[in-house]
Amino acid sequence: MLSFILSAKRLLVGIWKSFKRPQFLSLFTTLFFIILSGTMFYRGTEGWHWLDAMYFSVVSLIPTGVETGLYPTSDFSKIFTMIYLIVGTGVMFITLLMLGRSIVDFTIEEEKKEQVIKHLKK
């Protein structure tokens, strides 16, 4: 449980630090609009509930192989999905990469602080 709490703290600090970077804010905004457009498209075209449409829009951009049980049925939806995945996966990947970088940077900063404190105590 302690490990989860520490990991959650690192994640939240990483997110906070990431939003201070203009590039991350731009990528996050772009990703938000990509997911919003996917959600609205699948809601309107496929008739899925809002939560199902958003879930499919997010999970399909993360290459994990999660089975959603949702599939585009019309030819138009399939074409949209191909374009959506080509554009969205790249933006999602870069956004997650920048977030991970902020988390690693925060962890390195914590380790350096601990070393300085240990050195000062000697």
Side-chain angles (χ1 to χ4, degrees):
M1 183 68 173
L2 180 61
S3 175
F4 173 76
I5 292 171
L6 292 174
S7 295
K9 177 190 172 198
R10 285 187 182 116
L11 175 65
L12 292 174
V13 171
I15 290 171
W16 179 256
K17 288 185 178 248
S18 293
F19 274 106
K20 292 181 179 181
R21 295 179 178 174
Q23 300 90 354
F24 182 82
L25 188 58
S26 175
L27 278 170
F28 184 81
T29 304
T30 303
L31 182 62
F32 173 79
F33 283 116
I34 289 171
I35 291 172
L36 180 66
S37 66
T39 302
M40 290 173 31
F41 177 83
Y42 294 120
R43 170 76 176 125
T45 305
E46 295 292 328
W48 297 343
H49 293 285
W50 287 105
L51 187 58
D52 290 336
M54 184 184 297
Y55 179 73
F56 182 81
S57 297
V58 171
V59 169
S60 62
L61 294 180
I62 302 172
T64 58
V66 173
E67 179 62 40
T68 62
L70 301 168
Y71 303 98
T73 54
S74 70
D75 289 341
F76 182 60
S77 293
K78 291 175 184 177
I79 292 169
F80 174 83
T81 301
M82 287 186 284
I83 296 168
Y84 175 79
L85 293 176
I86 290 169
V87 173
T89 303
V91 174
M92 175 68 88
F93 180 72
I94 294 170
T95 304
L96 291 174
L97 203 72
M98 288 188 75
L99 179 60
R101 187 179 192 185
S102 293
I103 293 169
V104 168
D105 289 346
F106 172 69
T107 304
I108 291 171
E109 288 174 17
E110 279 186 333
E111 290 173 358
K112 286 181 181 178
K113 286 179 187 177
E114 288 176 12
Q115 289 175 353
V116 168
I117 290 171
K118 285 180 183 178
H119 183 69
L120 291 175
K121 286 183 178 180
K122 289 182 180 181

